[in-house]
Amino acid sequence: MSDSSSQETFLLLQKDFDLPEKVDEFDEEKAITLLSKVISYMLDREFERLLQICYRIDLGEEKLKRILQESDPDQVASDLAQALWTRQKQKVEIRKRYSP
């Protein structure tokens, strides 16, 4: 994936998760780690909002349920962050492919 796709993916997730505007030495792995921390907080304190974001992003109900039910408790936030990142990255790539 190109760096511009990673940046666009981050910008899409930044709005929903109130991520910081600037990430030093940006890369996909750091962005997912940052997203995992925010999701971990939301799992404990803003679960309904997290669910709304997942549905708005169109993560898929089955994928969300599988992550919430089958992931190790310590891995739920990072698995969910990875799934959300992948979904938003797909959207970016589709838009690039089909935009004039």
Side-chain angles (χ1 to χ4, degrees), residues 23-37:
V23 177
D24 295 331
E25 298 179 32
F26 179 86
D27 67 33
E28 188 171 319
E29 187 176 320
K30 287 181 182 179
I32 293 171
T33 300
L34 177 62
L35 183 59
S36 294
K37 291 176 184 176

Side-chain angles (χ1 to χ4, degrees), residues 6-19:
S6 291
Q7 293 282 356
E8 288 179 50
T9 301
F10 182 78
L11 291 174
L12 287 174
L13 290 165
Q14 182 182 39
K15 296 176 200 173
D16 289 318
F17 290 98
D18 301 323
L19 300 174

Side-chain angles (χ1 to χ4, degrees), residues 36-86:
S36 294
K37 291 176 184 176
V38 173
I39 289 172
S40 180
Y41 171 85
M42 292 178 81
L43 283 166
D44 291 337
R45 295 177 184 85
E46 297 181 20
F47 188 69
E48 288 298 319
R49 181 172 169 239
L50 176 61
L51 291 179
Q52 290 173 351
I53 292 169
C54 289
Y55 290 125
R56 188 171 57 246
I57 288 175
D58 191 30
L59 180 60
E61 189 173 344
E62 289 303 315
K63 182 173 271 192
L64 178 61
K65 282 182 181 179
R66 188 173 61 246
I67 291 169
L68 293 175
Q69 293 173 354
E70 296 176 10
S71 292
D72 290 332
D74 294 341
Q75 281 295 117
V76 171
S78 61
D79 290 350
L80 191 51
Q82 183 65 53
L84 289 166
W85 182 270
T86 301

